């Protein structure tokens, strides 16, 4: 038994080393990805339910690895956050989004809001307001705007400090959405004080909301609370017609999900806008 215990130890150690090695490789390659142009932004439509039109796009990062092919953000964003690489990576995303708005100048029939995911680390450890100001000055967006999406977990860093940062950015004309609402840490008290413009109800609540009574109760309460706090509501991960009907009936403002469109390249997204 002793021998087996020891073997198991060796086994787990090896597993842990493999995991650490995998992360180290991704870190190394991610650095290359930034400098060697392997990253791209995709765009997923967000539909305004009052107007039945695409008014927003969520920008989602993709990594086209030269050997491994397409790598999705859930497989590298957490590693980038752990290693600090999220700071240069996040900077790249900001520039890419503003460059895209500049590239689309004069090609859009109506203004487009681009929703940009920002890691709490970027809010706390970088001068985001300077980065944004520099990107705005460089690209001078005229046909659209950028909205920042942050998860509730940002509040762990001390709500007062976060509020100060967000207020400063608000003065630059930025808007903010709470991402993955309902899954993380948030205090109702601070929700009210923070300069948020809306919240995104996490896909976990939206999926089968039409038939799951617990979810239905929660989603209705979230929409009502949001509206009472003067926040817009975006439902994420809408995949089925029944979910859409539930959300429409309960006065949700915006929807996003595979039912309306998956994230697509900038080129395909522009086509989508032209067809509406
Ligand atoms: P998120 O911000 O919650 O983004 C929504 C995710 O849900 C996206 O996954 C999107 O493709 C997926 N999704 C949208 N509609 C549906 C649907 O109807 N059904 C299902 N099953 N999924 C749907 P994606 O693109 O893989 O991104 C995963 C996460 O990676 C994002 O979650 C976000 O947390 C992070 N991420 C993506 N791009 C960036 C970025 O540029 N910066 C940062 N910091 N994080 C990013
Ligand atoms: Ca998001
Ligand atoms: Ca989300
Ligand atoms: Ca998420």
């Amino acid at each position: 038994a002793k021998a087996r215990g020891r073997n198991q130890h060796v086994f787990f150690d090896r597993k842990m080393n493999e995991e650490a090695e995998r992360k180290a490789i991704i870190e190394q390659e991610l650095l290359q990805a930034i400098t060697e142009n392997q990253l791209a932004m995709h765009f997923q439509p967000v539909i305004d339910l009052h107007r039945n039109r695409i008014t927003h796009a969520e920008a989602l990062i993709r990594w086209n690895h030269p050997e491994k092919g397409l790598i999705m953000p859930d497989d590298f964003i957490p590693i980038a956050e752990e290693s600090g690489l999220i700071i240069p990576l996040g900077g790249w995303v900001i520039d890419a989004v503003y460059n895209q708005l500049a590239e689309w100048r004069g090609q859009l029939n109506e203004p487009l809001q681009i929703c940009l995911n920002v890691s709490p680390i970027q809010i706390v450890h970088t001068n985001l307001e300077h980065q944004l100001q520099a990107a705005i000055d460089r690209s001078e967006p005229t046909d659209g705007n950028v909205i920042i999406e942050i998860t509730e977990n940002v509040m762990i860093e001390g709500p007062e400090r976060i509020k100060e940062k967000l207020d400063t950015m608000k003065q630059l004309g930025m808007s903010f959405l709470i991402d993955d609402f309902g899954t993380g840490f948030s205090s109702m008290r601070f929700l009210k004080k923070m300069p948020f413009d809306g919240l995104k109800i996490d896909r976990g609540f939206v999926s089968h909301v039409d038939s799951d009574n617990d979810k239905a109760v929660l989603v209705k309460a979230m929409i009502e609370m949001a509206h009472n706090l003067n926040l817009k509501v975006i439902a994420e991960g809408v995949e089925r017609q029944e979910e859409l009907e539930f959300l429409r009936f309960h006065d949700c403002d915006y929807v996003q999900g595979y039912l309306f469109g998956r994230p697509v390249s900038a080129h395909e997204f522009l086509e989508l806008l032209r067809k509406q």
Side-chain angles (χ1 to χ4, degrees), residues 60-164:
L60 295 157
I61 197 166
R62 299 291 179 259
W63 178 5
N64 294 302
H65 191 284
E67 285 111 39
K68 294 172 192 157
L70 181 66
I71 307 181
M72 298 302 275
D74 283 335
D75 293 326
F76 65 89
I77 292 286
I79 296 171
E81 287 180 324
E82 263 178 59
S83 62
L85 271 178
I86 192 66
I87 291 173
L89 187 72
W92 183 90
V93 170
I94 292 170
D95 290 342
V97 162
Y98 277 96
N99 288 343
Q100 192 59 64
L101 272 179
E103 203 184 301
W104 280 338
R105 181 176 301 132
Q107 295 183 267
L108 305 176
N109 298 324
E110 54 192 291
L112 178 73
Q113 316 290 314
I114 299 191
C115 302
L116 172 94
N117 289 285
V118 162
S119 161
I121 295 166
Q122 290 174 268
I123 306 260
V124 178
H125 296 289
T126 70
N127 198 332
L128 205 53
E129 87 210 59
H130 282 188
Q131 283 180 38
L132 291 167
Q133 189 61 63
I136 293 168
D137 291 345
R138 199 159 10 80
S139 65
E140 299 180 325
T142 49
D143 305 339
N145 251 313
V146 172
I147 302 179
I148 308 262
E149 295 192 7
I150 337 164
T151 60
E152 306 166 83
N153 296 327
V154 76
M155 313 266 222
I156 292 169
E157 293 291 341
E160 292 83 4
R161 216 173 125 223
I162 301 301
K163 178 176 161 34
E164 225 170 84

Side-chain angles (χ1 to χ4, degrees):
K2 228 178 183 170
R4 210 175 74 204
R6 195 159 44 229
N7 282 339
Q8 261 178 12
H9 234 104
V10 170
F11 176 76
F12 286 124
D13 281 352
R14 198 184 327 122
K15 273 268 168 217
M16 271 167 62
N17 283 335
E18 277 170 15
E19 180 62 13
E21 216 168 281
R22 191 185 68 89
K23 281 188 184 170
I25 291 170
I26 291 185
E27 262 179 61
Q28 176 63 41
E29 292 182 334
L30 198 47
L31 203 56
Q32 250 173 43
I34 301 171
T35 56
E36 291 176 11
N37 226 5
Q38 297 166 17
L39 303 172
M41 296 315 289
H42 275 196
F43 298 88
Q44 185 179 30
V46 177
I47 287 87
D48 179 340
L49 284 182
H50 306 295
R51 298 172 54 212
N52 281 316
R53 295 184 76 75
I54 301 169
T55 51
H56 297 59
E58 180 170 7
L60 295 157
I61 197 166
R62 299 291 179 259
W63 178 5
N64 294 302
H65 191 284
E67 285 111 39
K68 294 172 192 157
L70 181 66
I71 307 181
M72 298 302 275
D74 283 335
D75 293 326
F76 65 89
I77 292 286
I79 296 171
E81 287 180 324
E82 263 178 59
S83 62
L85 271 178
I86 192 66
I87 291 173
L89 187 72
W92 183 90
V93 170
I94 292 170
D95 290 342
V97 162
Y98 277 96
N99 288 343
Q100 192 59 64
L101 272 179
E103 203 184 301
W104 280 338
R105 181 176 301 132
Q107 295 183 267
L108 305 176
N109 298 324
E110 54 192 291
L112 178 73
Q113 316 290 314
I114 299 191
C115 302
L116 172 94
N117 289 285
V118 162
S119 161
I121 295 166
Q122 290 174 268
I123 306 260
V124 178
H125 296 289
T126 70
N127 198 332
L128 205 53
E129 87 210 59
H130 282 188
Q131 283 180 38
L132 291 167
Q133 189 61 63
I136 293 168
D137 291 345
R138 199 159 10 80
S139 65
E140 299 180 325
T142 49
D143 305 339
N145 251 313
V146 172
I147 302 179
I148 308 262
E149 295 192 7
I150 337 164
T151 60
E152 306 166 83
N153 296 327
V154 76
M155 313 266 222
I156 292 169
E157 293 291 341
E160 292 83 4
R161 216 173 125 223
I162 301 301
K163 178 176 161 34
E164 225 170 84
K165 294 213 169 204
L166 299 190
D167 282 341
T168 314
M169 287 190 265
K170 185 111 195 161
Q171 270 156 15
L172 290 181
M174 305 307 304
S175 310
F176 304 98
L177 299 174
I178 309 173
D179 203 354
D180 301 348
F181 185 76
T183 63
F185 169 94
S186 73
S187 140
M188 293 294 154
R189 193 157 65 93
F190 285 111
L191 205 58
K192 193 164 181 295
K193 284 196 185 150
M194 294 283 173
F196 289 120
D197 301 273
L199 57 83
K200 300 187 79 169
I201 301 181
D202 189 72
R203 171 159 61 90
F205 299 102
V206 172
S207 168
H208 295 278
V209 67
D210 51 295
S211 57
D212 182 323
N213 193 50
D214 292 348
K215 289 183 186 179
V217 169
L218 286 171
V219 168
K220 280 191 267 182
M222 287 184 208
I223 296 173
E224 201 180 305
M225 180 208 64
H227 287 164
N228 285 335
L229 292 174
N230 238 332
L231 301 172
K232 296 284 184 208
V233 181
I234 299 155
E236 295 193 285
V238 181
E239 293 184 353
R240 297 162 50 251
Q241 190 65 34
E242 294 86 346
E243 292 158 1
L244 170 63
E245 271 149 30
F246 178 96
L247 292 161
R248 203 192 278 284
F249 184 79
H250 292 287
D251 216 20
C252 181
D253 303 292
Y254 300 89
V255 283
Q256 175 182 354
Y258 294 169
L259 183 62
F260 311 95
R262 289 180 180 252
V264 290
S265 69
H267 171 77
E268 288 170 283
F269 187 77
L270 190 61
E271 293 289 298
L272 210 63
L273 285 181
R274 290 208 166 126
K275 273 191 289 192
Q276 81 166 349

